[in-house]
Amino acid sequence: MPGLSRRHFLQTVAGLGAATLSGCQGLPRLASSKAHVVVVGGGFGGATAAKTMRLLDPTIQVTLIEPKARYITCPGSNWLFAGLTDLDKLTVDYQALQARYGVKLLADSVADLDAVKRQVRLTGGQTIGYDRLIMSPGIDFKWDAIAGYDKAAAQQFPHAWQAGPQTLLLAKQLQSMRDGGVLIMTVPADPYRCPPGPYERASMMAYWLKQHNPRAKIIILDAKRSFSKQALFEAGWTKHYGYGSSNSLIEWHSLADNPLLELDKKNQQLISEFGDRFQGDVLNIIPPQTAASIALQSGLADAGGWCPVQPLSGQSLFDEYIHIIGDAAHYAPIPKSAFAANSEAKACALAVINLLNQKPLAEPHWLNTCYSLITPQHGVSVAGVYRLDAAQTIVAVKGAGGVSIASGAETELLEADYTRVVYQQLVANSFA
Ligand SMILES: Cc1cc2nc3c(=O)[nH]c(=O)nc-3n(C[C@H](O)[C@H](O)[C@H](O)COP(=O)(O)OP(=O)(O)OC[C@H]3O[C@@H](n4cnc5c(N)ncnc54)[C@H](O)[C@@H]3O)c2cc1C
């Protein structure tokens, strides 16, 4: 690589067919005791995959490659806008993965892959061989989607869609907004990381504004016609933030037929296809997304910018020795969430172990749940259980999951408590 060679692509597609039809017979495999699995990316997907591999089969050598010594979780980062948390509380490290589970850590990033030699080359120059590669590199942004909005512009108009300095910058802008100011938040079309995330963010910002700047307004400009947990969010916004009234703290507008095309930086305006101009004191632009650049440049993504996989094993459709999980991969209808990345990682780790041991693949099930706070005392959630149907397509299990029942303050408070507990459990389950 960069990009898969045509010869290799044909080899892997042929191999994939064999895997699909005959359970991978005929392909040389290493016994797991000699195997080396490299995991790229230490987010929820990668950390869980590395930990699970070592838990299930300690004879396998697992190397986790992640450039950052500490990881700041996006889950929980919206709470910072309401003053309920800070970055320290959202930060984890990889010591437990190393000390408890024997994962080898490499603080570097993958510069490119050689799929034929089954090697990754690191930015630092080192080359590492693998028997199986698990990639969970997360997302990147489509910087060309809104003309004028690029990496440099994000320093002025933060997306805050990768938790860290961007989150702090946006919180500072919110808190120093003029009395009665307008904050505009743009939301991309599906698929993107964390479908309910923008609406939880608007809720947490409104919570802060209600106490400190009650004449201000948050205007959500959404590329979609509807959104995750919409009825629950709108009921909560009506109850707490005057939604639907003339002095509502939150307004939501669908721009599905009139998309935003351009940013006029000087005038702090977003311009739509029909020429409408939306001016804000603060612009929180959440751009459309793709799989992280390492996946794109390695030829692992399709034209939509996400990595197609065989759901049974997480194997890339372009290379059977590479497994892809988390936000970068296409597991629809499972949403792109940390909870889902954790679940995909576990199923993938088991599949990798079975493949290394030439055992049949187990039928996976995946879980997702996304909790959101509307106020510190009002939480809402959505949950789903997924499996493969006869055509090996991922489907939601009918009758499993659902959204919170809107049944008053007691439920809202319980859901808010669960929101915090699920966060703690998910972080511990992935990193500790
Ligand atoms: C505001 C917000 C709120 C959210 N709230 C929730 C929530 O409440 N619940 C929930 O379930 N989900 C939530 N999410 C979604 C969640 O953050 C993601 O779905 C999750 O982080 C995906 O995990 P991942 O492992 O795929 O990617 P990431 O967590 O992004 O991890 C990817 C890692 O790969 C590394 N990497 C990238 N390229 C390379 C390379 N070339 N070499 C080595 N390493 C590399 C990166 O440094 C990064 O650490 C939220 C997201 C946002 C933005």
Side-chain angles (χ1 to χ4, degrees), residues 41 43 45 66-68 71 74-75 110 136-137 161 193-194 326-327 337-339:
E66 162 62 53
K68 300 188 295 278
Y71 173 82
C74 283
V110 173
S136 189
W161 218 239
R193 155 176 287 185
C194 195
D327 288 355
S337 78
F339 205 100

Side-chain angles (χ1 to χ4, degrees), residues 40-46 65-68 71 74-75 77-78 108-110 136-138 160-161 193-194 201 294 325-327 336-339 341 369-371 426:
V40 179
F44 281 92
I65 303 170
E66 162 62 53
K68 300 188 295 278
Y71 173 82
C74 283
S77 66
N78 283 331
D108 206 332
S109 52
V110 173
S136 189
W161 218 239
R193 155 176 287 185
C194 195
R201 173 174 292 180
I294 184 65
I325 53 173
D327 288 355
K336 296 185 184 300
S337 78
F339 205 100
T369 180
C370 279
Y371 278 84
L426 181 61

Side-chain angles (χ1 to χ4, degrees), residues 9-23:
F9 177 80
L10 293 173
Q11 276 173 352
T12 55
V13 168
L16 190 67
T20 312
L21 294 172
S22 63

Side-chain angles (χ1 to χ4, degrees), residues 177-414:
M177 194 163 66
R178 71 177 168 88
D179 182 36
V182 172
L183 181 147
I184 291 181
M185 178 194 296
T186 73
V187 184
D190 290 321
Y192 63 93
R193 155 176 287 185
C194 195
Y199 316 100
E200 180 189 60
R201 173 174 292 180
S203 308
M204 293 289 89
M205 288 175 157
Y207 181 78
W208 192 90
L209 291 173
K210 190 173 173 177
Q211 297 164 71
H212 303 282
N213 191 352
R215 295 193 314 114
K217 200 175 276 299
I218 299 160
I219 297 179
I220 305 171
L221 301 178
D222 206 325
K224 305 185 297 300
R225 290 180 205 287
S226 60
F227 60 89
S228 172
K229 296 184 270 188
Q230 182 162 357
L232 291 168
F233 275 112
E234 289 185 331
W237 293 347
T238 304
K239 182 169 176 178
H240 305 292
Y241 306 127
Y243 187 64
S245 70
S246 58
N247 58 357
S248 173
L249 277 161
I250 301 176
E251 281 180 21
W252 177 79
H253 301 277
S254 169
L255 291 188
D257 297 320
N258 182 22
L260 294 171
L261 298 183
E262 195 182 335
L263 167 68
D264 173 350
K265 291 195 261 291
K266 189 162 154 268
N267 294 307
Q268 305 219 154
Q269 290 178 342
L270 284 151
I271 307 164
S272 72
E273 185 178 309
F274 297 161
D276 295 320
R277 285 177 171 264
F278 302 91
Q279 186 168 33
D281 298 282
V282 175
L283 303 183
N284 172 206
I285 300 175
I286 306 171
Q289 295 147 38
T290 62
S293 57
I294 184 65
L296 300 189
Q297 80 187 46
S298 304
L300 296 168
D302 62 17
W306 303 105
C307 302
V309 294
Q310 281 200 86
L312 185 63
S313 59
Q315 280 163 294
S316 164
L317 292 195
F318 303 129
D319 187 314
E320 65 164 324
Y321 294 100
I322 301 178
H323 302 246
I324 312 169
I325 53 173
D327 288 355
H330 187 75
Y331 277 85
I334 306 176
K336 296 185 184 300
S337 78
F339 205 100
N342 173 284
S343 188
E344 289 155 16
K346 289 171 180 166
C348 176
L350 181 59
V352 168
I353 288 171
N354 283 334
L355 285 167
L356 289 169
N357 287 301
Q358 302 180 55
K359 287 190 177 158
L361 294 173
E363 191 192 329
H365 285 79
W366 301 271
L367 305 175
N368 178 58
T369 180
C370 279
Y371 278 84
S372 312
L373 289 180
I374 295 179
T375 75
Q377 290 80 34
H378 185 166
V380 291
S381 66
V382 59
V385 183
Y386 302 87
R387 64 171 179 80
L388 290 174
D389 68 7
Q392 298 293 290
T393 305
I394 302 176
V395 290
V397 174
K398 286 203 180 87
V403 295
S404 331
I405 302 159
S407 62
E410 200 181 330
T411 312
E412 292 163 6
L413 191 57
L414 273 176

Side-chain angles (χ1 to χ4, degrees), residues 19-65:
T20 312
L21 294 172
S22 63
C24 302
Q25 287 155 9
L27 293 167
R29 299 271 180 246
L30 290 174
S32 72
S33 59
K34 295 181 191 141
H36 182 211
V37 174
V38 170
V39 180
V40 179
F44 281 92
T48 308
K51 171 178 166 177
T52 309
M53 292 289 309
R54 293 284 303 169
L55 270 173
L56 293 180
D57 187 345
T59 65
I60 296 177
Q61 191 195 338
V62 177
T63 303
L64 174 64
I65 303 170

